[in-house]
Amino acid sequence: MRSILQVLFAFVLLQLGGCGYNEFQKLDEQTKSAWSEVLNQYQRRADLIPNIVATVKGETTFEQDTLTKVVEARAKATSIQATPELINNPEAFQKFQAAQGELSGALSRLLVVSENYPQLKANQAFQDLRAQLEGTENRITVARGRYVKAVQDYNVLARSFPTNLTAKAFGYDVKANFTVTDEKALSTPPKVDFTAPAASR
């Protein structure tokens, strides 16, 4: 009896190995690892924002509305629980992505507006924070790129035959991935006008 069970167990192991089960384990861990790195970089950015806001507040004439939008966007982005399960929930993932995109937009606006304030441009602390923020944005881009690749590899396995049968049997659903916020705007070609401006009289 024991030898029959051992043979059956060995057969099951061989079948699992050939149907992509082990590959799912590997790629699932890779996506979780890549996602953790994305979250680390988003957290690094969120941690920089209070220092940037405090430095900018020192410029008493700075546009309050711009600062308020940054603070509100940070609060919204950090209020979403970014658990590993988030990548398995397309709706929650989309909300998370939208909140981070809103924060990116608010920070971009802050940095553009800060160019109009000579004292801020001369403030070494602000310039250091700005450099750290720009470096973090670059790290976010790299981390997101690695996550996109990890999810692509995983999703190809989950949707290909015969490994898609293993995916269905063990609940390995296709994972959410980053998307362009406004694809319609990107598909609209920019208007370019090469006509010379009318000469002033």
Side-chain angles (χ1 to χ4, degrees):
M1 183 68 175
R2 177 180 268 182
S3 62
I4 294 172
L5 288 175
Q6 287 174 335
V7 169
L8 282 172
F9 184 68
F11 178 75
V12 168
L13 284 179
L14 283 171
Q15 292 304 308
L16 288 177
C19 66
Y21 182 81
N22 291 336
E23 191 68 11
F24 272 114
Q25 304 309 304
K26 181 179 123 186
L27 295 181
D28 192 43
E29 287 304 316
Q30 282 180 357
T31 57
K32 287 177 184 172
S33 174
W35 178 244
S36 293
E37 185 56 28
V38 170
L39 295 182
N40 284 340
Q41 298 309 327
Y42 277 139
Q43 186 60 54
R44 177 185 168 91
R45 179 174 72 175
D47 292 343
L48 279 171
I49 291 171
N51 294 330
I52 291 171
V53 170
T55 305
V56 171
K57 273 185 177 175
E59 177 60 59
T60 53
T61 59
F62 196 83
E63 297 176 22
Q64 190 61 38
D65 183 52
T66 302
L67 278 178
T68 302
K69 284 183 178 167
V70 169
V71 172
E72 287 173 352
R74 179 189 185 270
K76 186 175 178 182
T78 55
S79 71
I80 298 173
Q81 284 285 53
T83 61
E85 290 73 34
L86 184 72
I87 59 178
N88 297 321
N89 183 336
E91 187 177 317
F93 187 87
Q94 190 175 14
K95 285 181 183 175
F96 177 82
Q97 183 182 350
Q100 293 296 338
E102 193 175 313
L103 179 54
S104 293
L107 282 169
S108 294
R109 172 78 181 137
L110 175 96
L111 295 179
V112 167
V113 170
S114 70
E115 291 294 318
N116 299 327
Y117 293 83
Q119 288 180 337
L120 266 181
K121 287 171 79 173
N123 183 323
Q124 190 58 49
F126 178 74
Q127 292 306 321
D128 290 346
L129 287 166
R130 182 180 184 143
Q132 287 182 54
L133 181 62
E134 288 169 354
T136 300
E137 291 293 346
N138 288 336
R139 288 187 183 96
I140 287 171
T141 300
V142 170
R144 281 175 51 133
R146 288 179 180 151
Y147 174 77
V148 166
K149 178 68 171 80
V151 169
Q152 178 187 17
D153 292 343
Y154 173 93
N155 285 348
V156 165
L157 187 69
R159 296 176 68 188
S160 300
F161 183 82
T163 51
N164 64 335
L165 301 175
T166 304
K168 287 179 184 176
F170 290 95
Y172 290 112
D173 297 324
V174 170
K175 294 185 185 294
N177 214 335
F178 287 106
T179 57
V180 176
T181 307
D182 191 354
E183 291 184 40
K184 189 175 182 182
L186 285 178
S187 65
T188 306
K191 292 181 181 176
V192 180
D193 187 359
F194 290 107
T195 58
S200 57
R201 294 182 184 181

